[in-house]
Amino acid sequence: MKWIDDVLNKITMYRLVLYYLIFLVAVAVVLGFSGMLPYKPIDLIFSTLVLVVVCWITNEAFSKVFDVPANVESVYITALILALIITPLESSQYASGLPFLMWVSVWAMASKYIVAIRKKHIFNPAAFAMALMAFTIGQSASWWIGTLAMSPFVFLGGLLVVRKISRFDLVISFFAVALATITGLGILNGIDPYTTIRKILLETPLFFFAFIMLTEPLTTPPVRTRRILYGAFVGFLFSPAMHVGSVYSTPELALLAGNVFSYLASPKEKYILKLKEKLQITPGLYDFLFVPDRKLKFQPGQYLEWTLGHRNPDSRGNRRYFTIASSPGEHEVHLGVKFYSDSSSFKKSLIGMGRGAEIVASQCAGDFVLPKDKNKKLVFMAGGVGITPFRSMYKYLLDLNEKRPI
């Protein structure tokens, strides 16, 4: 399994998801050629291209209006998700169906900027757009990706994604509750459990939903216990038999309800930070000192997702996860970064930042924090730049004059 980890370590999570979705579209095209899917390859390609182009144009417009860096990978990911859950247009429907594809693309992108609190979107963009379409114009997602022919490709690729982002706790809690709920309700209605489970696993979008949409980092809780509760909550609502009055549950409604739970359980923040100073500590290692637009809320040892818009980002994208090296008691934010001769375009842009240049940080997360039991003995071991979470922890302890056996 080491070679898998070596490959996964060379690409970012967002790039992996993007490549995985492109792969699924390509597989669908091949299966369309062979007749294993009821969609013509040209129709799949046409619908996908429309969604990608309109999502990209819309996101570019909104990013300029709201003056925030455009995360191109997220745009493509949302567009490809829509392509995999909306039934491809047939050639005879191109003219009549084109407005719908354009409209759903616009709302998917708009939701990230308009339906947001403190510049952080609350809902999964694809789920929000499809739910809005269902309630306003009566057109909903078919989730055609949840077919027997696509299931092995969805499952194997999805496992790589979950392995990369270490979210098996979330996915397992979702699977356990969803399977138990749907099977239990089936038994109450006289349906054989084996038939129910087989149908759930092979003929529904269960795996695609869990691996790709449920695990979206920006709309999931940042700590393990809340993630497990989040997965269980969405899993309970995932059953199509769940309803409020005449409104029955769909995957997108279950996810939107989960997004609300996630926000209430752990409100998301987005910060704009200006560079105050950068100091070279050792050859290749720098300490960046940023001033945030408002005080950061975090626990010592947690990390943030840092987004730095720059021209021509390479395959590793314009986002990185870095541990916060400062204490919650400090107003300024320390960021320790190691640079190599073959650094990414992100790091080259980072080292090239001048005083007053801005970077965006969000998605504070991480369970590598000080234990609540203040009498628990601690041993700190780190190599190189890995000392950053410990700097945050011991500075915090000094700020509070707190004694611990370290």
Side-chain angles (χ1 to χ4, degrees):
M1 301 296 282
K2 183 179 182 302
W3 69 271
I4 295 179
D5 290 329
D6 290 340
V7 172
L8 294 180
N9 287 335
K10 292 179 181 178
I11 55 177
T12 65
M13 181 274 291
Y14 293 102
R15 283 290 165 130
L16 177 61
V17 173
L18 178 58
Y19 295 155
Y20 168 57
L21 294 174
I22 293 172
F23 169 73
L24 289 180
V25 173
V27 168
V29 170
V30 172
L31 294 179
F33 269 118
S34 66
M36 296 181 68
L37 282 179
Y39 311 114
K40 294 180 180 179
I42 188 63
D43 296 338
L44 280 164
I45 294 171
F46 175 80
S47 295
T48 301
L49 286 177
V50 170
L51 290 164
V52 168
V53 170
V54 178
C55 281
W56 182 83
I57 293 173
T58 305
N59 191 73
E60 283 292 307
F62 274 106
S63 68
K64 286 181 172 55
V65 170
F66 286 85
D67 192 27
V68 295
N71 296 316
V72 178
E73 292 157 326
S74 295
V75 176
Y76 296 148
I77 287 170
T78 299
L80 291 172
I81 289 174
L82 290 172
L84 291 165
I85 66 175
I86 297 175
T87 302
L89 297 177
E90 297 180 3
S91 56
S92 60
Q93 301 173 324
Y94 285 179
S96 59
L98 189 60
F100 169 69
L101 293 184
M102 296 174 66
W103 194 230
V104 74
S105 300
V106 168
W107 274 107
M109 294 299 101
S111 69
K112 297 196 300 180
Y113 299 91
I114 298 175
V115 190
I117 297 177
R118 293 184 177 178
K119 300 182 180 181
K120 287 294 295 178
H121 69 269
I122 303 170
F123 299 112
N124 178 282
F128 178 86
M130 289 314 309
L132 182 64
M133 296 302 101
F135 282 112
T136 56
I137 61 177
Q139 287 191 253
S140 57
S142 64
W143 294 88
W144 65 267
I145 185 69
T147 59
L148 181 60
M150 293 294 296
S151 60
F153 305 102
V154 170
F155 183 76
L156 294 176
L159 285 180
L160 291 179
V161 172
V162 179
R163 183 184 180 89
K164 171 70 177 179
I165 61 177
S166 302
R167 290 294 182 267
F168 280 106
D169 51 4
L170 167 60
V171 171
I172 290 173
S173 68
F174 167 77
F175 282 155
V177 175
L179 289 172
T181 302
I182 296 174
T183 304
L185 291 174
I187 292 173
L188 291 176
N189 290 312
I191 302 175
D192 174 52
Y194 172 78
T195 302
T196 301
I197 293 175
R198 182 185 180 281
K199 184 176 180 63
I200 295 171
L201 298 179
L202 300 178
E203 300 177 28
T204 72
L206 180 81
F207 290 121
F208 180 80
F209 177 87
F211 292 148
I212 296 299
M213 301 185 72
L214 181 69
T215 57
E216 184 202 11
L218 295 179
T219 53
T220 57
V223 295
R224 187 171 183 270
T225 303
R226 294 172 187 174
R227 280 200 304 270
I228 292 173
L229 292 174
Y230 169 69
F233 178 66
V234 178
F236 178 73
L237 297 177
F238 188 79
S239 171
M242 293 292 174
H243 66 95
V244 176
S246 61
V247 178
Y248 281 78
S249 182
T250 63
E252 52 268 40
L253 289 179
L255 185 57
L256 295 180
N259 292 161
V260 173
F261 167 86
S262 176
Y263 181 81
L264 294 176
S266 50
K268 307 297 189 300
E269 302 277 358
K270 178 178 282 189
Y271 305 95
I272 308 297
L273 301 99
K274 291 186 177 181
L275 180 64
K276 179 180 179 180
E277 188 178 10
K278 57 184 174 184
L279 303 172
Q280 184 171 6
I281 307 302
T282 65
L285 179 60
Y286 286 79
D287 176 21
F288 290 80
L289 192 59
F290 291 99
V291 178
D293 56 348
R294 61 185 185 281
K295 188 173 178 59
L296 267 67
K297 299 176 182 177
F298 67 97
Q299 296 183 60
Q302 291 191 306
Y303 59 83
L304 286 165
E305 181 186 74
W306 301 75
T307 302
L308 180 58
H310 59 281
R311 291 180 178 275
N312 303 318
D314 60 20
S315 61
R316 286 171 279 186
N318 65 352
R319 288 181 280 191
R320 289 291 186 282
Y321 290 103
F322 291 123
T323 300
I324 306 167
S326 48
S327 162
E330 297 176 281
H331 175 67
E332 294 163 334
V333 179
H334 285 269
L335 182 65
V337 183
K338 177 71 174 179
F339 293 86
Y340 299 92
S341 57
D342 61 343
S343 290
S344 64
S345 63
F346 179 97
K347 284 193 174 180
K348 289 177 181 176
S349 297
L350 182 64
I351 195 65
M353 291 179 69
R355 185 186 296 269
E358 294 184 348
I359 189 170
V360 178
S362 61
Q363 197 188 329
C364 182
D367 297 304
F368 187 63
V369 297
L370 290 166
K372 293 181 179 179
D373 182 0
K374 297 180 181 180
N375 296 315
K376 187 172 183 178
K377 295 180 179 180
L378 306 175
V379 177
F380 288 176
M381 298 179 66
V385 76
I387 198 173
T388 50
F390 300 147
R391 195 273 177 191
S392 176
M393 292 176 185
Y394 71 66
K395 182 64 171 68
Y396 178 70
L397 295 176
L398 290 173
D399 290 343
L400 298 182
N401 194 27
E402 185 176 301
K403 309 298 182 182
R404 295 209 187 201
I406 299 175

